[in-house]
Amino acid sequence: MSVQLNHTIVHSTDRAATAEFLTSVLGLPEAVPFGPFLVVETANGVSLDVIHDSGEFTRQHYAFLVSEEEFDVIFGRLRERGVAHWAEPGHRGAGRINTNDGGRGVYFDDPDGHNLEILTRPYGSGE
């Protein structure tokens, strides 16, 4: 049996706002309700199950591997919305992207401060 990531839970103060941000910025299908979750499905079948959490929760990091063309479209959406972005984790390199491994990458926050990333080459895969 091969082990695959199936889903992860994304804690949010407003699950609808977080699910809408993820789907609209990343260009994913509309989230589907399932129990207490709004399920955001990615192309490889891994879902982000967004749940409302009125307590304290730890902000997480979620990275999305995208094509060069998808990077341009997503990055354009971020810029249109005025979403702050950084070249490096930890909010370093404000307003820039990185070119790690011969690809491109950028970090940005969702409405609850989860650190999101889009990248076109997996780390360690290239130049």
Side-chain angles (χ1 to χ4, degrees), residues 78-101:
L78 294 172
R79 292 179 53 188
E80 285 173 10
R81 289 175 173 230
V83 175
H85 60 277
W86 301 271
E88 301 175 29
H91 295 171
R92 292 186 306 272
R96 298 192 336 250
I97 65 170
N98 67 58
T99 55
N100 297 338
D101 290 295

Side-chain angles (χ1 to χ4, degrees), residues 4-9 45-49:
Q4 299 180 16
L5 180 64
N6 177 262
H7 69 276
T8 190
I9 296 174
V46 175
S47 67
L48 303 170
D49 298 356

Side-chain angles (χ1 to χ4, degrees), residues 35-112:
F37 304 103
L38 284 176
V39 178
V40 176
E41 191 82 25
T42 65
N44 62 340
V46 175
S47 67
L48 303 170
D49 298 356
V50 183
I51 190 167
H52 173 78
D53 189 336
S54 58
E56 289 295 315
F57 54 88
T58 302
R59 275 43 183 190
Q60 300 294 326
H61 172 66
Y62 302 99
F64 303 94
L65 184 61
V66 300
S67 70
E68 289 289 340
E69 295 77 20
E70 290 166 326
F71 185 96
D72 290 335
V73 173
I74 295 167
F75 188 59
R77 290 184 190 121
L78 294 172
R79 292 179 53 188
E80 285 173 10
R81 289 175 173 230
V83 175
H85 60 277
W86 301 271
E88 301 175 29
H91 295 171
R92 292 186 306 272
R96 298 192 336 250
I97 65 170
N98 67 58
T99 55
N100 297 338
D101 290 295
R104 294 183 291 164
V106 68
Y107 296 83
F108 56 99
D109 289 345
D110 83 349
D112 283 301

